[in-house]
Amino acid sequence: MDINKITDSLNNAQQQAVTAPSQAVLVLAGAGSGKTRVLVHRIAWQIKIRQLSPHSILAVTFTNKAAKEMRGRIEKLLDSSTHKMWIGTFHGIAHRLLRRHAAEARLPDNFQVMDASDQLRVIKRLLNALNMDEKIWVPREVQWYINAQKDEGIRAKHLPDTDDSHEQQLVLLYRAYEAQCFRAGLVDFAELLLRALELLRDNEELLTHYQQQFRQVHVDEFQDTNTVQYAWLRLLTDGTDNLFIVGDDDQSIYGWRGAKIANMHSFKHHYPNHQIIKLEQNYRSTGNILKAANRVIAKNQGRMEKELWTTADEGELLGVYSAFNEQDEAHFVIERIRAYVATGGKREDTAILYRSNAQSRQFEERLMTTGIPYRVYGGLRFFDRAEIKNALSYLRLIANRDDDTAFERVINTPTRGIGTKMQDDLRHIARERSISLWAAAALLNTRAIQVFSALINTLSEQAEGLELCAQVQLVVEKSGLMEFHKKDKDKGEEKVENLEELVNAAKLFYFDKDNTENMNELDSFLTHAVLESAEQQGDDADDCVQLMTLHTAKGLEFKQVFLVGMEEGLFPAQQSVDDVVRLEEERRLCYVGITRARQQLTITHAEARWLYGRSTYPKPSRFLSDIPVELISNVRMQTAASYPANSAKSSEFSKPRSTYPPSMPTKPVATRTSVVTGRYKAGQKVSHAKFGAGMVVRCEGEGDKESVVVNFKQGGQKQLMLAYANLDVL
């Protein structure tokens, strides 16, 4: 293949990255600069121009969706299959290695992968066995502690002795948890990565084999790697420098879950013979949006500097709206969306981004009352739903009787008379004899448990030799789950439909025999379900407005974006304000939010907000003051908005600008209620004999039905008829 056929669609910087010599390469890829395009073209170049074997290519990323997209684009570019390439997520590649070398990894051939909720159940059972109060030893906090140690490559035996009694108990729980997982052949997500690292580190012959096999190692979203992931990559490329990484330190926003932005900087020291190539041309956003993003992120210290630019138009100014409170903020945003749709825009092209999930309620309520379809992106996924997890647990128990987590989930689902006392007896026997709950059940001679054990054995016998979808159909019907969930008066129909969809998912499941070592089709399907449930991306949906947190929005883009709640204490979050490291991550999160917008970006903040159970009167976010005033169009109602100082030009914030983006009406649309009526107007401070002092939010109605909505400091928000309100203006 002619090299030009691979590179002729790339810009100069992208071509330089794709054709870089075989050495350690860091592609510093700004938002919207075509990083995935570079990665897939680099792989194609390695195969077609350098004549590397597809079997010698390793490419890792963070989500199954990204891995699938990468495979599809490479296949299209090469016009051939990616079957022989090792392309997948960190967890998926680690799982593949452990399946292939289970014995060397000290794992049983039929080890089971736990998702986060299964891991939590194991921890709860341990707390109960050790008589530890869950109110003091919160299961999720224990789970976080264990995973945090594993993310740093630390086993319980490596933790130093301490005089801290709390720390001692956590170490005890970690040890007990490790023992339980080892006994039952269970592996959690963090364990997948740590065990894969240990597998290569402790087996020199195996490490040499894979170092020689993988002539090129490619990494996407490198800024999101944790300690173990980077250590694993260094092992594979030790002495070869065959590491090609794509990342952006300005988009490192997952420090709270173990991601180490320091890996970006350590790379330069660990690979002295490296090359850094910057991708700064943006293909997503308008010039004004990029200028705002550049100015915001420039305040961070120690970053690997780059400046996003575009050949596209400057575009519209950024809209900024100062709301009276969160209700007014939601009202404004939804009315803008209605106006956008009325002029031909699609709802699915609009996203409302917020710092905290708690902020979504106001927007959801307003969307529902106005009849606008919407979706909370990153909501509960299919494999996370209770009825699906129940069915999968039966299948897991058929595959592995010693899977205690699956056993506990379904032993009394549907209810079969095996109550808490009987389950506690089983746990006691299992703990005393160091055996699985299934083995303990054989020793506890009760009718109910015998019936349950017989059911599992019968299902296993009847499933033998059946196609995967037939096995799933058998389990959802013969286990009693279909009838059990059908009785749910609230969501019974939906749950039955979900179980039917599980059968369909099994029917459509592709079993890749060549790349699933030591696994049958059922084991492969169960692992697929667990790995899929780990991701928090949303499903495809019809034309509807997208609501999501800023963390969830990473990697997405929309024509119109509303970045809401831009206030001190909310964004940046209050706990980050006095912490330099966390504040810089908050700033990167803001940068990510801004660069999600392609054409229109509107930022909102409220002068009063009910937050954390109390009324607050926050200042606009410091990030808003970083944006040059010449890039902003203030959307003004009837009252002046206050803004943070912004050098000598801060006074310009109070000056009304000529227009909001031309495609959006500056004045409220016809459905908006009046903000001024008689002697009252929005933003006015008033007093009530019963509710005390407050601020007028809006005025509604006419004549005898005229009313005023007031946000009282003590009594909350009230709607009062003006004829009887008896309000005093302060």
Side-chain angles (χ1 to χ4, degrees):
M1 178 182 286
D2 186 349
I3 187 173
N4 291 328
K5 291 183 179 180
I6 295 180
T7 61
D8 59 5
S9 64
L10 307 176
N11 64 36
N12 291 337
Q14 291 172 338
Q15 288 183 12
Q16 184 186 0
V18 167
T19 61
S22 183
Q23 66 183 93
V25 177
L26 165 58
V27 179
L28 191 61
S33 62
K35 65 178 181 59
T36 305
R37 185 179 183 82
V38 164
L39 205 55
V40 299
H41 279 73
R42 170 72 174 188
I43 292 173
W45 186 79
Q46 296 280 2
I47 294 172
K48 290 299 184 181
I49 307 303
R50 288 196 61 210
Q51 297 294 303
L52 291 186
S53 165
H55 190 60
S56 68
I57 298 293
L58 171 64
V60 289
T61 185
F62 280 85
T63 69
N64 287 317
K65 180 181 178 182
K68 183 178 180 180
E69 180 186 357
M70 193 184 300
R71 277 188 179 276
R73 292 173 69 168
I74 293 172
E75 287 181 350
K76 185 176 181 180
L77 192 59
L78 294 176
D79 195 24
S80 62
S81 173
T82 58
H83 180 71
K84 294 183 179 180
M85 299 182 202
W86 284 56
I87 300 176
T89 64
F90 276 98
H91 291 94
I93 297 295
H95 174 257
R96 183 175 176 181
L97 284 171
L98 294 179
R99 287 291 179 188
R100 176 174 283 193
H101 306 287
E104 293 96 324
R106 297 176 293 110
L107 287 170
D109 288 340
N110 64 340
F111 72 85
Q112 294 292 317
V113 182
M114 294 185 294
D115 64 12
S117 61
D118 288 334
Q119 182 189 29
L120 193 62
R121 289 171 67 88
V122 171
I123 290 171
K124 287 182 177 180
R125 182 152 50 87
L126 284 175
L127 290 170
N128 182 62
L130 295 171
N131 295 316
M132 299 174 73
D133 190 347
E134 288 190 14
K135 293 180 180 178
I136 300 175
W137 303 95
V138 181
R140 289 194 182 277
E141 292 180 3
V142 175
Q143 181 183 36
W144 178 88
Y145 173 82
I146 291 173
N147 290 340
Q149 304 310 313
K150 290 187 178 186
D151 285 345
E152 293 297 322
I154 302 172
R155 292 289 185 192
K157 64 182 180 182
H158 298 145
L159 291 167
D161 294 333
T162 175
D163 295 329
D164 188 326
S165 59
H166 184 79
E167 185 76 16
Q168 289 175 354
Q169 288 285 34
L170 286 173
V171 174
L172 173 65
L173 280 169
Y174 187 9
R175 286 175 181 161
Y177 173 79
E178 282 187 314
Q180 169 64 21
C181 290
F182 180 80
R183 187 165 58 246
L186 297 174
V187 176
D188 58 49
F189 286 124
E191 183 71 18
L192 280 174
L193 301 176
L194 178 54
R195 192 69 69 103
L197 172 67
E198 294 171 338
L199 173 68
L200 297 181
R201 185 194 65 197
D202 300 338
N203 293 272
E204 186 174 350
E205 185 177 345
L206 205 59
L207 175 60
T208 301
H209 167 78
Y210 283 109
Q211 285 176 337
Q212 293 174 349
Q213 175 179 333
F214 296 133
R215 299 283 303 281
Q216 278 293 309
V217 178
H218 307 79
V219 188
D220 192 15
E221 304 286 7
F222 181 74
Q223 75 280 351
D224 294 336
T225 54
N226 62 23
T227 298
V228 166
Q229 289 163 337
Y230 185 37
W232 180 73
L233 291 169
R234 289 186 62 198
L235 268 180
L236 281 175
T237 57
D238 183 39
T240 66
D241 282 1
N242 293 332
L243 184 60
F244 185 91
I245 64 176
V246 181
D248 182 6
D249 59 331
D250 288 337
Q251 295 188 74
S252 180
I253 59 174
Y254 298 119
W256 49 275
R257 70 181 189 194
K260 295 294 179 65
I261 190 174
N263 291 346
M264 293 283 290
H265 301 281
S266 297
F267 169 84
K268 295 181 291 184
H269 303 294
H270 292 144
Y271 297 87
N273 184 34
H274 70 270
Q275 181 180 6
I276 296 179
I277 301 170
K278 297 181 181 181
L279 302 184
E280 298 173 289
Q281 183 175 357
N282 178 281
Y283 292 92
R284 176 189 300 158
S285 306
T286 63
N288 285 332
I289 291 172
L290 295 181
K291 288 177 184 177
N294 286 331
R295 288 294 291 271
V296 168
I297 199 62
K299 290 293 185 72
N300 274 3
Q301 302 297 313
R303 54 185 288 267
M304 303 172 76
E305 291 189 11
K306 62 183 177 305
E307 187 90 0
L308 295 179
W309 59 275
T310 181
T311 58
D313 295 336
E314 294 299 313
E316 301 169 354
L317 297 175
L318 281 63
V320 174
Y321 179 66
S322 176
F324 306 127
N325 59 15
E326 65 268 35
Q327 291 91 358
D328 183 47
E329 178 184 51
H331 183 91
F332 163 77
V333 170
I334 305 314
E335 290 305 323
R336 288 286 166 175
I337 293 173
R338 290 179 65 178
Y340 178 73
V341 174
T343 56
K346 291 184 178 180
R347 289 183 288 265
E348 64 183 354
D349 289 335
T350 296
I352 302 173
L353 310 183
Y354 37 78
R355 179 64 180 84
S356 168
N357 272 311
Q359 291 173 255
S360 74
R361 185 178 66 85
Q362 293 290 341
F363 298 98
E364 290 190 65
E365 287 185 357
R366 181 65 65 172
L367 286 163
M368 284 189 291
T369 57
T370 52
I372 298 177
Y374 73 94
R375 180 168 63 102
V376 179
Y377 204 97
L380 198 61
R381 291 176 54 81
F382 180 77
F383 287 112
D384 286 331
R385 295 164 187 167
E387 62 275 16
I388 300 302
K389 291 178 72 67
N390 290 339
L392 292 175
S393 291
Y394 272 103
L395 290 165
R396 285 172 53 182
L397 204 52
I398 289 173
N400 176 19
R401 300 294 199 281
D402 294 328
D403 188 337
D404 286 353
T405 305
F407 184 99
E408 282 197 305
R409 186 175 187 95
V410 299
I411 187 174
N412 203 39
T413 305
T415 52
R416 51 176 58 90
I418 304 177
T420 303
K421 174 64 169 62
M422 202 175 297
Q423 292 181 47
D424 285 342
D425 290 341
L426 280 173
R427 296 187 188 101
H428 178 74
I429 294 172
R431 185 170 64 253
E432 288 292 312
R433 303 198 179 199
S434 295
I435 57 178
S436 68
L437 291 173
W438 176 265
L443 302 176
L444 195 60
N445 192 19
T446 69
R447 174 63 179 166
I449 289 181
Q450 287 178 348
V451 170
F452 173 70
S453 299
L455 169 65
I456 299 301
N457 288 329
T458 299
L459 288 174
S460 181
E461 292 170 4
Q462 293 179 349
E464 189 71 24
L466 295 178
E467 291 183 355
L468 178 62
C469 62
Q471 292 183 53
V472 178
Q473 183 77 52
L474 172 75
V475 164
V476 297
E477 291 182 352
K478 298 298 184 181
S479 66
L481 285 178
M482 191 70 83
E483 285 299 318
F484 172 70
H485 288 299
K486 190 180 293 183
K487 294 176 182 177
D488 186 333
K489 295 181 179 179
D490 184 25
K491 296 185 178 180
E493 184 176 349
E494 177 183 332
K495 291 182 178 181
V496 168
E497 290 175 353
N498 287 337
L499 288 173
E500 291 171 346
E501 182 57 26
L502 180 64
V503 177
N504 189 46
K507 186 176 182 179
L508 298 175
F509 177 71
Y510 171 68
F511 177 45
D512 188 355
K513 294 181 181 179
D514 296 329
N515 292 320
T516 49
E517 292 83 359
N518 301 320
M519 297 178 71
N520 58 33
E521 190 172 16
L522 176 58
D523 286 333
S524 181
F525 178 68
L526 292 172
T527 301
H528 162 76
V530 173
L531 293 176
E532 281 289 319
S533 73
E535 297 182 18
Q536 296 302 312
Q537 301 300 322
D539 301 318
D540 292 335
D542 295 330
D543 184 23
C544 58
V545 176
Q546 312 292 308
L547 277 68
M548 67 193 75
T549 65
L550 285 153
H551 283 99
T552 304
K554 185 173 177 291
L556 303 176
E557 58 182 72
F558 305 90
K559 283 186 179 179
Q560 178 177 227
V561 168
F562 291 91
L563 188 49
V564 301
M566 286 285 285
E567 301 143 24
E568 289 292 304
L570 187 58
F571 191 31
Q574 186 60 48
Q575 59 268 34
S576 303
V577 172
D578 298 321
D579 185 321
V580 174
V581 174
R582 295 176 71 172
L583 182 59
E584 291 209 338
E585 182 158 316
E586 291 283 297
R587 190 179 295 280
R588 293 193 293 270
L589 190 58
C590 182
Y591 171 83
V592 166
I594 292 173
T595 54
R596 297 313 94 194
R598 299 208 304 263
Q599 297 177 4
Q600 297 177 0
L601 174 63
T602 304
I603 299 172
T604 67
H605 64 93
E607 295 181 348
R609 184 180 297 274
W610 185 263
L611 190 64
Y612 309 128
R614 61 187 179 86
S615 291
T616 61
Y617 300 91
K619 296 179 180 179
S621 171
R622 67 189 68 192
F623 303 148
L624 185 54
S625 70
D626 295 336
I627 301 174
V629 293
E630 59 269 19
L631 300 179
I632 289 176
S633 169
N634 289 314
V635 184
R636 308 190 63 78
M637 303 307 292
Q638 299 293 330
T639 59
S642 58
Y643 289 89
N646 188 29
S647 69
K649 296 184 179 181
S650 62
S651 60
E652 294 186 32
F653 268 119
S654 61
K655 298 176 183 178
R657 304 190 68 85
S658 57
T659 61
Y660 186 67
S663 61
M664 304 291 284
T666 301
K667 295 182 179 180
V669 296
T671 55
R672 183 176 173 88
T673 54
S674 171
V675 294
V676 179
T677 179
R679 56 187 292 221
Y680 303 110
K681 62 181 180 180
Q684 195 169 39
K685 294 182 179 180
V686 296
S687 177
H688 187 274
K690 179 179 179 181
F691 304 120
M695 184 175 69
V696 175
V697 175
R698 62 181 181 273
C699 304
E700 301 178 349
E702 296 178 356
D704 294 339
K705 295 183 178 180
E706 199 170 9
S707 65
V708 62
V709 178
V710 181
N711 190 29
F712 293 102
K713 290 183 179 180
Q714 303 300 326
Q717 185 166 292
K718 306 290 182 184
Q719 184 165 6
L720 306 172
M721 299 299 292
L722 282 185
Y724 312 103
N726 293 323
L727 294 172
D728 293 323
V729 178
L730 299 180

